[in-house]
Amino acid sequence: MQHAFDYLIIGAGMAGEAAAQALREADASAGIGMLGDESHPPYDRPPLTKALWKDGKESDIWRPIEKAHADVQLLRRATRIDREVHLVHDDAGDTWQYRKLLIATGGTPRRLPSGGDDFIYYRTFDDYQRLRQSVQPGARIVVVGGGFIGSELAAAMAMNGCNVTMLFPDDAIGARVYPESLADAVTAYYTEKGVEIRAGTTVKGGARDGQGVKVELSDGDSLRADAVVAGLGIVPNTRIAEDAGLEVEIGLMVNDHLQTSDHDIYAAGDVASFPAPALGRRIRVEHENAAISMGTRAGKCMAGQDASYDELPFFYSDLFDLGYEAVGMLDSRLETVEQWVTPFREGVVYYLDAGRVRGVLLWNTWGQVDAARNLIASPGPFDAENVRGRLPAQV
């Protein structure tokens, strides 16, 4: 069966939903179609590692896609784009005609070479529901990964009374992002909260049996778990774009109006690689702020408005009683300048490279995201002496 829309969106996540809302606001009579490969309509992802493990309600995560009056087709995976005739094929054998197309396909979790489906590769609401079945006081939960998702999951599991073991190859939690002193302090904090830390350890294998999941470790040891959940990052879903001949590098390449190398095709969210002038480079960002703001701008641009994407996204995290917001590039290989009100509890970390501020970590320091963006955009030059004290700025 063939369907025809003015605007077609591949992907029913936060970016796709934001685009649909912007399109409807800009064009009241347009036909808007959306293809999503999950069984659920668009929802917020951050609560899957945050609020839903505290006092959040599942009913609050759903995004108001109905307001966009879009034709949302779930459990539909787009398989091929025929750019010459503006047609998308799906895995059910249907075709979808478009005038303008948005690719908001997100990403797929990285997987371990062993363990198969006995491990939960955490990404979706279905993954949350599967993990929720195992979470109760005293449950044995193994968390694989010491980065953004892994650290949030470990904290969430511990706060729900589980016996948590974290496995990761680095020396400390967040070692690739935080300066060494902060990474060590966070790791010690998790230990105080009852989380068993197995740094420098990776998974060799694992399988479910009558006693749960047996996990074989790189150091020759083994663990028993009621559930094993992995947060190892994602790989952007660029295959359909590559097959269509669109330009792909660290992601699907877009210009400042979120157009791909085909000007009738746009991209937004986790899959998109966009220019960040303040950083002097292209970046790809896997966080809520980027997904929603890019989706909104893409929708406006698709409808003919001049809505260039010139925003440097921010992201945030909750780790037990600690929390932070961050802007720009957080890479522990850069020069880091720490500025603490209370060591490792409240302060600012600046990330410097070649006389410029490339990233800012606002550790329990709030209301400073725009000031951090301005600092990153400033030409400087900055060094460890003159950058200290720049934030928090008066607001």
Side-chain angles (χ1 to χ4, degrees):
M1 182 180 296
Q2 182 164 327
H3 313 262
F5 292 96
D6 297 299
Y7 308 107
L8 182 65
I9 300 168
I10 304 176
M14 292 184 292
E17 189 271 346
Q21 302 291 3
L23 283 164
R24 178 56 66 216
E25 184 175 331
D27 193 340
S29 62
I32 304 171
M34 176 180 284
L35 306 179
D37 60 3
E38 291 188 49
S39 61
H40 305 288
Y43 57 86
D44 290 321
R45 290 194 190 276
L48 302 184
T49 55
K50 297 181 176 74
L52 290 184
W53 298 106
K54 299 176 184 177
D55 53 2
K57 299 177 181 178
E58 293 182 9
S59 58
D60 291 338
I61 73 170
W62 307 104
R63 300 191 64 80
I65 186 62
E66 65 281 354
K67 292 183 179 180
H69 301 291
D71 185 340
V72 181
Q73 297 290 324
L74 302 176
L75 293 173
R76 294 282 186 130
R77 184 174 60 86
T79 57
R80 184 165 64 87
I81 301 169
D82 189 335
R83 291 165 50 192
E84 288 190 7
V85 292
H86 284 49
L87 208 62
V88 172
H89 299 255
D90 72 17
D91 58 352
D94 288 356
T95 55
W96 304 80
Q97 192 91 39
Y98 65 86
R99 185 164 60 84
K100 300 286 186 180
L101 175 68
L102 176 67
I103 299 176
T105 45
T108 299
R110 289 190 176 91
R111 297 174 68 91
L112 295 164
S114 58
D117 292 333
D118 292 325
F119 296 169
I120 301 171
Y121 293 92
Y122 204 79
R123 173 73 174 167
T124 67
F125 183 62
D126 285 341
D127 297 330
Y128 160 78
Q129 291 183 308
R130 182 181 169 194
L131 181 58
R132 173 60 78 180
Q133 294 174 0
S134 298
V135 173
Q136 56 187 339
R140 303 162 300 174
I141 307 294
V142 170
V143 176
V144 184
F148 186 77
I149 296 298
S151 57
E152 287 195 339
L153 282 170
M157 298 299 94
M159 288 190 294
N160 279 266
C162 298
N163 295 320
V164 181
T165 301
M166 284 186 80
L167 311 173
F168 47 84
D170 300 313
D171 294 333
I173 294 171
R176 302 178 192 186
V177 175
Y178 309 143
E180 184 177 355
S181 58
L182 178 56
D184 288 343
V186 170
T187 304
Y189 180 69
Y190 270 59
T191 300
E192 292 171 11
K193 292 291 187 179
V195 177
E196 181 185 1
I197 304 296
R198 302 286 291 263
T201 306
T202 56
V203 175
K204 283 186 63 178
R208 180 170 292 279
D209 58 24
Q211 302 175 55
V213 182
K214 185 178 182 181
V215 185
E216 304 288 348
L217 306 181
S218 57
D219 60 6
D221 200 359
S222 65
L223 297 173
R224 285 282 179 183
D226 297 298
V228 178
V229 57
L232 305 172
I234 64 170
V235 177
N237 292 329
T238 58
R239 178 64 182 272
I240 193 170
E242 293 178 63
D243 289 348
L246 298 174
E247 190 175 355
V248 173
E249 202 173 276
I250 60 171
L252 178 48
M253 305 277 274
V254 296
N255 63 18
D256 62 352
H257 284 71
L258 301 169
Q259 289 171 304
T260 69
S261 49
D262 181 325
H263 281 195
D264 287 332
I265 301 178
Y266 296 70
D270 296 350
V271 75
S273 163
F274 60 93
L279 297 176
R281 57 178 289 181
R282 283 185 165 273
I283 60 173
R284 190 180 62 79
V285 178
E286 301 169 2
H287 295 289
E288 175 188 35
N289 173 245
I292 294 173
S293 58
M294 290 177 73
T296 298
R297 304 282 179 91
K300 290 180 177 181
C301 289
M302 291 167 73
Q305 298 180 6
D306 183 5
S308 60
Y309 187 67
D310 54 4
E311 183 174 305
L312 193 59
F314 79 96
F315 61 97
Y316 62 98
S317 187
D318 297 325
L319 310 172
F320 293 107
D321 297 326
L322 301 175
Y324 67 78
E325 294 175 322
V327 186
M329 295 168 55
L330 269 61
D331 186 332
S332 59
R333 294 171 297 182
L334 298 177
E335 178 187 0
T336 55
V337 180
E338 300 173 55
Q339 169 193 309
W340 297 108
V341 176
T342 303
F344 315 124
R345 291 297 184 267
E346 180 185 349
V348 179
V349 179
Y350 307 91
Y351 294 75
L352 304 182
D353 181 46
R356 294 286 298 270
V357 178
R358 296 303 187 186
V360 177
L361 174 61
L362 301 161
W363 195 264
N364 279 346
T365 300
W366 310 105
Q368 295 292 312
V369 168
D370 285 341
R373 285 174 170 148
N374 291 337
L375 188 61
I376 292 169
S378 175
F382 295 104
D383 57 30
E385 294 302 319
N386 68 19
V387 78
R388 200 181 304 275
R390 298 273 177 166
L391 300 173
Q394 295 298 316
V395 294

